[in-house]
Amino acid sequence: MAQTNQIDVAAAIAAGDTSLGIELGSTRIKACLIGPDHEVIATGSHAWENQFVDRLWTYSVEAIWEGVQASVADLLATVERLHGVRPAGFGALGVSAMMHGYLAFDAAGDLLVPFRTWRNTNTERAAAELTEVLGFNFPLRWSASHLYQAILDEEPHVAELGSFTTLAGYVHWKLTGRRVLGVGDASGMFPIDPTTRDYDADMLARFQGLVAARRPGLDVTALLPEVLVAGADAGTLTAEGAALLDPTGTIRPGAAVAPPEGDAGTGMIATNAVAPRTGNISAGTSIFAMVVLEKALESVHEELDIVTTPAGDLVAMVHCNNGASELGTWAGVFTEFAAALGSEFGSDAVFEALFSAALEGEADGGGLLAYNYLSGEPITGLAEGRPLFVRTPGSRLTLANFMRTQLYGAFGTLSLGMKVLHDEGVQLDSMFAHGGMFRTAGVAQRLLAAAIEAPVTVGDTASEGGAWGIAVLAEYLRKGAAVPLDSYLSDEVFAGAALDVAEPDTGDVAGYRAWLEQYEAGLAIERAATEAIH
């Protein structure tokens, strides 16, 4: 991607010739401003955490808007500091967020119950029944599973339902007044028909039948947000929306707003992985792989979600509830240890030292096992999680083996899901990776290549991730969406981008296979821990 000099950047900012992306991730809300060449002008961020309330994972509405406003304020201040001009508006903007979950509203638009995030696993009965009756894998975290579980449980709020949506859909609605979703995010609410790029009509009719048997008069179709593909008109920033983004009144309304997307879709954008036979892996609090399919899969697999790209093409998604959080916790422990010895290091330095040590570890982890299960993990059949580090008396406990094992543990469940795709005959030409754990060059990338036994590419936008991805979708809208999305990305966004490819190392692959065999056997320990420790 071409560089833009500072004079051009300042002029673009002053003219509003920019696009803003906001992504609400599980631990950080990030704002990213790009110029017309898709280069990052500045970013802003805000840390937040979910809460476990009444045995459900949630974020409060207050926390949502405090975080959005803080990230935008950080962005505006950074732009002014770096470029000498404070943005008064943007050419376009877009919102992305964690997919799935359940935000339910009454007819007046009031929230009926606290936001239920993707992390909750209380929807087993609903997901199982929907999967069986509709012949399509409905994961526990899907919005339809949450809705149907509330109906099965006869929750009082169901009688007042006027609409339900995802986190991105909610924020977009408040910014524009429109209840819409990008097709990629919508595909995590209910199955999408790739020919219509809309909810699957046959499955929706059958779902309506299930609902009507328990809740006569409840119209599911009317509850769902409208589906839009990338580049479609999704509204403009209203005066009320501008005030929500920036209570100081600096940002003016009127910007075009892209269809809101999920973090899976923006991850595909950020890694140029929207064409068939391409894929990407996103590693954060959760970790998931997206593989764009050439055709529908032969069978229904509970390990695989079928979602879509932001353009509406089918994607097989291997989603693991647990990703890099446990790595971050251990890094915190080592940071505290260094401080106790009188040495102060930033988080980047600590991660670099620990990740670099992992490369010196034995290929099979030295007989150590790590389970990063802070929450339940559907792929391995666990309703709850217990983080564990396990070793036998004969194992080799060194820092290098410990860290290699922790990284392996972040990829363990993912590689089990990827095996199902391989058995379906799915072919991959490229697999891109993004997320904070890839900021330390060549470590997580190399070990991931061993775990999935395929080349892994990291690009120069990997650390910006989905916030940059949704900014690109906003810019795609601003420029008229005149060409197909995959062509736009290849020809205009990623042309000349710096890429680093890690091929699977033979020794790493053999070591990881041996480690994974022990990992699968050790899941019995994890199951026992969930039963014994409460």
Side-chain angles (χ1 to χ4, degrees):
M1 291 177 286
Q3 296 293 319
T4 305
N5 63 52
Q6 185 147 336
I7 294 174
D8 290 338
V9 169
I13 295 167
D17 194 17
T18 56
S19 289
L20 171 69
I22 300 171
E23 181 156 274
L24 294 91
S26 53
T27 61
R28 187 167 296 276
I29 300 174
K30 192 167 187 178
C32 178
L33 188 66
I34 65 171
D37 61 351
H38 312 98
E39 288 290 329
V40 174
I41 292 173
T43 63
S45 67
H46 171 78
W48 71 337
E49 283 289 350
N50 52 196
Q51 286 79 46
F52 195 54
V53 180
D54 295 330
R55 299 195 64 77
L56 290 172
W57 293 104
T58 187
Y59 299 85
S60 69
V61 168
E62 294 77 15
I64 292 169
W65 292 111
E66 287 171 8
V68 168
Q69 290 168 7
S71 65
V72 171
D74 188 26
L75 172 85
L76 295 177
T78 302
V79 171
E80 188 170 22
R81 175 173 55 83
L82 293 178
H83 305 290
V85 57
R86 191 174 185 85
F90 314 103
L93 64 92
V95 177
S96 172
M98 299 169 281
M99 287 179 69
H100 320 295
Y102 182 71
L103 278 150
F105 302 91
D106 63 17
D110 294 322
L111 188 67
L112 293 170
V113 291
F115 171 33
R116 297 171 183 180
T117 79
W118 58 270
R119 199 171 188 179
N120 292 293
T121 55
N122 63 308
T123 57
E124 286 189 66
R125 181 183 170 197
E129 186 172 335
L130 290 175
T131 298
E132 181 180 356
V133 174
L134 301 186
F136 188 96
N137 182 38
F138 278 79
L140 304 183
R141 65 189 175 282
W142 275 32
S143 304
S145 298
H146 281 278
L147 170 64
Y148 194 49
Q149 189 66 51
I151 293 170
L152 293 177
D153 292 341
E154 299 182 347
E155 292 194 35
H157 83 268
V158 174
E160 302 178 65
L161 266 177
S163 65
F164 73 117
T165 189
T166 65
L167 179 54
Y170 164 68
V171 175
H172 180 95
W173 165 45
K174 289 298 184 181
L175 296 183
T176 67
R178 291 190 59 182
R179 297 179 188 269
V180 301
L181 270 191
V183 63
D185 203 14
S187 70
M189 291 193 75
F190 195 83
I192 295 292
D193 181 343
T195 60
T196 64
R197 265 59 171 175
D198 203 347
Y199 302 114
D200 186 289
D202 176 62
M203 276 192 263
L204 193 55
R206 285 186 283 150
F207 183 40
Q208 179 63 58
L210 287 175
V211 170
R214 296 178 177 274
R215 276 282 173 180
L218 185 63
D219 184 354
V220 174
T221 302
L223 299 179
L224 287 161
E226 179 187 356
V227 181
L228 298 174
V229 297
D233 175 14
T236 57
L237 181 65
T238 64
E240 295 80 6
L244 277 174
L245 286 182
D246 175 29
T248 70
T250 300
I251 297 177
R252 58 176 177 260
V257 185
E261 267 299 345
D263 50 359
T266 54
M268 287 184 246
I269 299 298
T271 52
N272 191 21
V274 298
R277 295 174 66 96
T278 66
N280 80 89
I281 289 174
S282 175
T285 300
S286 63
I287 184 170
F288 53 83
M290 312 289 294
V291 178
V292 186
L293 302 174
E294 296 178 276
K295 60 184 180 66
L297 298 179
E298 297 291 334
S299 305
V300 175
H301 301 278
E302 62 180 14
E303 300 92 344
L304 303 176
D305 306 0
I306 303 300
V307 291
T308 77
T309 70
D313 296 308
L314 289 180
V315 174
M317 180 181 189
V318 181
H319 186 284
C320 309
N321 278 359
N322 299 280
S325 292
E326 187 69 351
L327 276 169
T329 300
W330 279 110
V333 170
F334 285 112
T335 302
E336 288 183 32
F337 176 68
L341 293 177
S343 300
E344 298 288 342
F345 295 99
S347 61
D348 284 354
V350 172
F351 273 109
E352 184 172 355
L354 294 175
F355 277 37
S356 296
L359 294 183
E360 304 301 320
E362 296 174 60
D364 66 353
L368 311 180
L369 288 176
Y371 296 91
N372 62 341
Y373 291 2
L374 287 163
S375 63
E377 194 57 80
I379 287 180
T380 49
L382 289 157
E384 295 186 31
R386 300 291 183 271
L388 293 176
F389 173 66
V390 182
R391 72 186 189 98
T392 62
S395 60
R396 279 86 59 197
L397 178 55
T398 64
L399 177 63
N401 283 343
F402 177 81
M403 285 311 302
R404 179 173 283 244
T405 299
Q406 290 295 331
L407 282 161
Y408 279 177
F411 302 140
T413 312
L414 179 76
S415 58
L416 296 177
M418 290 294 289
K419 183 178 183 299
V420 177
L421 275 179
H422 181 268
D423 292 344
E424 271 266 5
V426 173
Q427 300 293 315
L428 268 175
D429 293 332
S430 63
M431 180 66 86
F432 285 72
H434 70 112
M437 68 188 302
F438 298 103
R439 289 172 61 183
T440 301
V443 181
Q445 179 187 8
R446 169 180 154 181
L447 298 185
L448 176 59
I452 66 172
E453 299 188 27
V456 173
T457 300
V458 172
D460 56 5
T461 60
S463 64
E464 305 303 338
W468 181 77
I470 189 65
V472 169
L473 284 173
E475 184 67 11
Y476 178 60
L477 168 68
R478 193 177 77 85
K479 289 181 176 172
V483 297
L485 181 60
D486 58 345
S487 298
Y488 181 79
L489 293 178
S490 296
D491 299 340
E492 297 192 38
V493 181
F494 284 91
L499 302 175
D500 177 53
V501 181
E503 298 285 343
D505 177 83
T506 304
D508 287 343
V509 169
Y512 184 84
R513 285 179 179 173
W515 179 87
L516 188 64
E517 184 177 344
Q518 293 301 308
Y519 178 87
E520 289 190 82
L523 285 169
I525 307 169
E526 181 72 25
R527 295 188 184 97
T530 62
E531 295 169 2
I533 304 172
H534 297 282

